[in-house]
């Protein structure tokens, strides 16, 4: 029992050298050890090395309400591919849906409407009926993004709708004359990209675009930097222009092009900023690429290749070690560890007879949601949590 008489900071340091199994066995020694080992500080160093525990490289925690010990247990299931599958929603008409996840609410676009569905806190199951529906587009919703106060959607009718999440009010932004393929927003700044080969900069308080940038290529994806000083566009790469370009927000000027030797048609379908200097991209050329904006823009820092040569429609990262990607064939979702080059796990969500791309995916600490042409799929990594004792 002399071990428990050590100061807490010294004991934390001693226990930081133990692996998950040893910590769990130590918790079985006595009640005092059990109480101490169950503290988050004991598991923090281990959690930083695990997948999707919500602990970032800088120590930030995005799931503070979930004990770290439980998150480390579930992390083993992510790595081992242990999960329970479900298809909570189906529909008959083939669509190009999109989804977003905000705490215990899942937002899903179906044709011209966006439904908000509540999630059960414990199981992650979805209520079958939306508690709120955002509408107003004449055509299908192509893409939408969430902020703390608004839902901003772009549609095939060329319109952008800004819906208030606290009232029934909505504002229409008109400027594009063809479908709006992508939209992103941060801190009152809105960037949109369209089939009409333009990207437009908007302010949340104005219905007219602040500026229009002629891209000379279809814009598939946009992403606003966390610093708010720049944004990135991903185009179809059908003209003699780099598909990845960085633009200054204030001057509306291209400040850099990323990469070289993109083959014709290697369009970029999704962009994710993990930090102001780290950008992830994916698209038709079947690669996930990490760009460090502090280094030579002609070369990516790392890349991961889809092993079946499939187009990658969407990606998401946990902010630390894990990447999830959605492929174009048979609804394949893959999990990647950034520290490895090969795919860690994959899940085929559709049958060979009903092949569909994964148009969008989002995940929380224990659940992954992926939307296909006619269904929404849920992978639950918590219910069958692997014991680490």
């Amino acid at each position: 029992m002399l071990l428990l008489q050590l100061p807490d900071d010294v004991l934390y340091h001693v226990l930081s050298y133990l692996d998950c199994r040893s910590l769990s066995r130590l918790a079985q020694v006595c009640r005092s050890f059990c109480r101490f080992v169950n503290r988050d500080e004991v598991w923090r160093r281990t959690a930083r090395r695990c997948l999707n525990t919500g602990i970032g490289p800088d120590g930030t925690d995005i799931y503070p309400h979930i004990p770290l010990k439980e998150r480390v247990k579930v992390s083993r299931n992510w790595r081992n591919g242990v999960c329970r599958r479900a298809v909570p929603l189906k529909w008959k008409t083939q669509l190009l849906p999109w989804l977003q996840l905000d705490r215990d609410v899942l937002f899903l676009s179906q044709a011209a409407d966006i439904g908000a569905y509540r999630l059960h806190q414990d199981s992650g199951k979805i209520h079958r009926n939306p508690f709120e529906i955002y509408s107003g587009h004449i055509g299908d919703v192509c893409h939408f993004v969430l902020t703390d106060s608004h839902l901003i959607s772009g549609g095939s009718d060329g319109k952008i709708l800004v819906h208030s999440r606290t009232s029934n009010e909505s504002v229409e932004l008109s400027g594009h004359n063809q479908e709006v393929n992508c939209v992103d927003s941060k801190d009152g700044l809105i960037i949109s990209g369209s089939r009409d080969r333009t990207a437009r900069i908007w302010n949340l308080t104005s219905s007219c675009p602040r500026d229009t940038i002629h891209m000379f290529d279809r814009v598939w994806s946009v992403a606003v930097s966390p610093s708010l000083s720049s944004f990135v566009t991903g185009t179809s790469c059908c003209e003699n222009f780099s598909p990845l370009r960085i633009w200054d927000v204030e001057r509306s000027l291209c400040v850099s092009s990323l990469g070289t030797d993109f083959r014709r048609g290697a369009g970029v379908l999704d962009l994710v900023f993990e930090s102001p200097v780290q950008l992830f991209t994916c698209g038709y050329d079947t690669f996930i690429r990490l760009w460090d904006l502090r280094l030579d823009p002609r070369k990516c820092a790392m890349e991961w290749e889809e092993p079946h040569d499939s187009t990658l429609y969407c990606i998401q990262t946990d902010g630390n070690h894990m990447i999830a990607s959605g492929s174009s064939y048979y609804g394949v979702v893959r999990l990647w560890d950034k520290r490895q080059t090969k795919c860690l796990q994959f899940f085929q969500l559709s049958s060979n007879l009903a092949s569909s791309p994964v148009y969008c995916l989002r995940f929380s600490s224990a659940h992954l949601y992926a939307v296909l042409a006619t269904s929404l799929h849920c992978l639950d990594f918590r219910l069958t949590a692997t014991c680490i004792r």
Side-chain angles (χ1 to χ4, degrees), residues 304-371:
W304 300 264
E305 184 177 11
E306 215 287 334
H308 290 166
D309 201 32
S310 298
T311 297
L312 293 172
Y313 271 68
C314 54
I315 51 175
Q316 188 188 358
T317 77
D318 68 345
N320 197 12
H321 298 305
M322 192 179 83
I323 310 170
S325 65
S327 303
S328 59
Y329 295 130
Y330 310 122
V332 171
V333 170
R334 296 188 185 274
L335 302 182
W336 310 78
D337 189 330
K338 298 176 189 175
R339 298 162 292 187
Q340 303 175 13
T341 56
K342 293 184 178 180
C343 171
L344 190 64
Q345 295 292 339
F346 83 96
F347 309 90
Q348 183 176 326
L349 303 182
S350 67
S351 65
N352 294 350
L353 298 177
S355 177
S356 166
V358 177
Y359 289 109
C360 186
L361 60 80
R362 294 290 182 266
F363 58 78
S364 60
S365 64
H367 299 87
L368 185 146
Y369 302 93
V371 62

Side-chain angles (χ1 to χ4, degrees), residues 143 145 180-186 190-194 198-200 215 219-225 231-235 245 247 268-273 279:
H143 198 285
V145 65
V180 179
N181 295 125
C182 50
V183 63
D184 195 16
S185 178
K186 285 183 176 68
I190 302 174
I191 307 293
S192 62
S194 171
T198 65
R200 296 179 187 264
M215 305 292 295
V219 184
W220 277 119
S221 52
V222 295
V224 180
S225 169
F231 66 93
V232 180
T233 56
T235 60
R245 284 179 281 177
W247 302 83
V268 178
L269 297 179
D270 202 8
L271 304 167
V272 176
F273 268 105
L279 174 72

Side-chain angles (χ1 to χ4, degrees), residues 91 93 95-97 108-114 137-142:
W91 49 90
T93 306
L95 304 174
L96 300 175
L108 173 66
S109 66
Q110 294 171 287
D113 297 328
I114 302 171
H137 285 283
I138 299 174
D140 291 353
V141 173
C142 299

Side-chain angles (χ1 to χ4, degrees), residues 90-107:
K90 290 184 177 181
W91 49 90
K92 295 182 179 179
T93 306
Q94 290 200 351
L95 304 174
L96 300 175
W98 193 259
L99 65 85
Q100 296 287 358
L101 191 62
D102 184 24
R103 300 181 182 88
D104 60 345
V105 180
L106 183 141
F107 296 82

Side-chain angles (χ1 to χ4, degrees), residues 222-239:
V222 295
V224 180
S225 169
S227 67
L228 302 178
S229 62
S230 62
F231 66 93
V232 180
T233 56
T235 60
S236 60
C237 199
C238 292
E239 303 294 339

